[in-house]
Amino acid sequence: MSKPATIRDVAAAAGISIAVVSRVLNDGSGPVAPATRQRVMKAMEDLSYRPRTAARELKSGPTTTLGLLLADVTNPFFARLADSIVREARSRGVQVILMTTQEDARLEQDALDTLAARRVGGVIATPTSTNVDSWQRLIELGTNIVFVDRYVEGVPHADLVSIDNDRSAREATEHLLDLGHTRIGFISGPLSTTTGRARTEGHLATLAERGVATDPQLLRNIPFRGDQGADATGSLLSLPEPPTAIIVANTAQVAASVRRIRQSSVRVPEDLSLIVFDDNPWTELFTPSLTIMRQPTTLMAAHSVDLALQRIGDDSDPRSVVIEAEFVVRSSTRAVN
């Protein structure tokens, strides 16, 4: 595959200087003769030149500001991620503009418009599954996009940092199957998100590989915001044949799910084995201490900032960093009775 054309290629093809191409690309930044402008536009068309390349090449020096667009700062995982990203960026002399979407596509659209107007050097984001055109517009303006934890399909030029969601769900499911559990409740995020989809698919694939039939009644794909973890858990426990184990793979709903179990007469792990996707300190202090899938937020933050800053002037192919989550077995899982 040939390397994408650069602003230097356009200048050479048009027989003019890079500065003149810059003025054409940035209307109003200086006079350009009509004939010269026409030569530049033709060269860009002939070379299939992408404006996003120009925007990056025209940056003068390293960026001093990154946008951080998070889905929900009330989610403990995202709160820890934000703290780590800000700390990582500040250690490099980079400021961070923090915005939140509250899992609302309209709020995300407004935030993207604001960040585009601010012309930040890069945006690190946990996106909704929409607004493809707005993400593409940011990229074309020369903004480096790094999706964290989940991504938007249809935005091919963004980098990605995530845990291996499929593998994590598989590992949790395999642990319970090895303990003899076959009725496993699974609570995850919406299937409209890449995270919710990958974890659900990993869980179902593992059941199929081990010859365990899928019972749709045991699956709950619920929103990240709100308190639906309690309702999802309660509905699982109320089934005529309730699960002997539950995996809460929706990080935002862990506390609500655990609270609902504590309010019931169900004992953990005597009656119910429990695994949660979380790394809050309270999971170890809980009685019994909870078996968890720990998501390495500090490492995810470091890779995210690295990619956002390294992208300045770099038009190489998008990069994907997949980090292994750590499965920590504690006291909340045991062999089925």
Side-chain angles (χ1 to χ4, degrees):
M1 183 181 294
S2 60
K3 188 176 180 180
T6 68
I7 190 172
R8 293 173 181 80
D9 296 330
V10 173
I16 56 175
S17 69
I18 292 174
V20 175
V21 177
S22 170
R23 290 200 294 273
V24 173
L25 291 167
N26 294 271
D27 275 338
S29 63
V32 179
T36 302
R37 182 182 298 276
Q38 188 174 358
R39 290 210 314 275
V40 171
M41 299 304 292
K42 184 177 186 307
M44 290 173 61
E45 183 179 352
D46 291 343
L47 294 170
S48 299
Y49 181 67
R50 294 182 301 181
R52 62 187 289 266
T53 307
R56 286 180 179 157
E57 289 184 320
L58 295 172
K59 288 185 180 291
S60 55
T63 183
T64 58
T65 306
L66 292 176
L68 176 56
L69 186 58
L70 294 181
D72 185 2
V73 292
T74 66
N75 181 333
F77 167 69
F78 290 143
R80 290 192 299 276
L81 182 65
D83 184 70
S84 296
I85 287 174
V86 171
R87 186 168 56 249
E88 185 72 29
R90 290 294 295 271
S91 72
R92 303 169 190 230
V94 175
Q95 299 293 323
V96 175
I97 299 174
L98 173 61
M99 306 184 77
T100 180
T101 68
Q102 300 177 331
E103 299 285 0
D104 186 323
R106 290 171 300 177
L107 292 179
E108 181 181 76
Q109 176 67 70
D110 291 343
L112 292 175
D113 290 343
T114 298
L115 292 171
R118 293 291 297 268
R119 300 300 295 266
V120 294
V123 173
I124 299 171
T126 55
T128 65
S129 56
T130 58
N131 295 316
V132 172
D133 290 344
S134 295
W135 286 113
Q136 283 291 92
R137 175 173 172 254
L138 266 181
I139 291 173
E140 288 168 0
L141 287 172
T143 307
N144 311 307
I145 304 297
V146 181
F147 290 140
V148 186
D149 182 58
R150 45 175 122 148
Y151 61 94
V152 182
E153 293 174 332
V155 184
H157 299 296
D159 292 324
L160 172 67
V161 177
S162 72
I163 68 167
D164 189 335
N165 288 297
D166 178 271
R167 181 181 179 279
S168 296
R170 286 174 176 271
E171 191 169 3
T173 304
E174 287 170 353
H175 174 73
L176 293 173
L177 291 172
D178 289 343
L179 292 174
H181 297 276
T182 55
R183 287 193 61 76
I184 302 171
F186 193 79
I187 300 173
S188 191
L191 293 177
S192 59
T193 64
T194 55
T195 303
R197 192 160 58 249
R199 292 178 184 177
T200 301
E201 290 173 353
H203 169 69
L204 295 177
T206 304
L207 293 178
E209 290 164 6
R210 298 284 288 267
V212 177
T214 299
D215 183 349
Q217 293 186 92
L218 296 176
L219 298 177
R220 298 291 186 277
N221 291 97
I222 59 175
F224 297 113
R225 282 181 65 83
D227 202 32
Q228 293 192 37
D231 293 338
T233 303
S235 67
L236 288 171
L237 297 178
S238 299
L239 288 172
E241 187 181 355
T244 60
I246 291 178
I247 299 171
V248 184
N250 183 324
T251 310
Q253 298 291 349
V254 166
S257 297
V258 172
R259 187 186 315 116
R260 179 64 183 83
I261 293 170
R262 286 297 297 267
Q263 292 168 348
S264 73
S265 60
V266 174
R267 299 169 300 165
V268 176
E270 292 84 359
D271 306 319
L272 180 76
S273 286
L274 180 62
I275 298 174
V276 300
F277 278 53
D278 205 342
D279 61 350
N280 255 309
W282 68 264
T283 60
E284 190 172 7
L285 302 176
F286 188 82
T287 303
S289 57
L290 299 180
T291 294
I292 66 169
M293 187 64 68
R294 176 180 289 145
Q295 301 178 84
T297 52
T298 301
L299 191 56
M300 294 174 75
H303 281 296
S304 299
V305 174
D306 272 346
L307 287 176
L309 297 179
Q310 287 174 11
R311 274 296 186 187
I312 304 298
D314 180 356
D315 286 295
S316 59
D317 291 337
R319 285 164 281 192
S320 178
V321 178
V322 179
I323 302 168
E324 299 297 336
E326 180 185 5
F327 188 46
V328 182
V329 178
R330 296 184 182 139
S331 305
S332 65
T333 55
R334 61 179 263 180
V336 69
N337 293 326

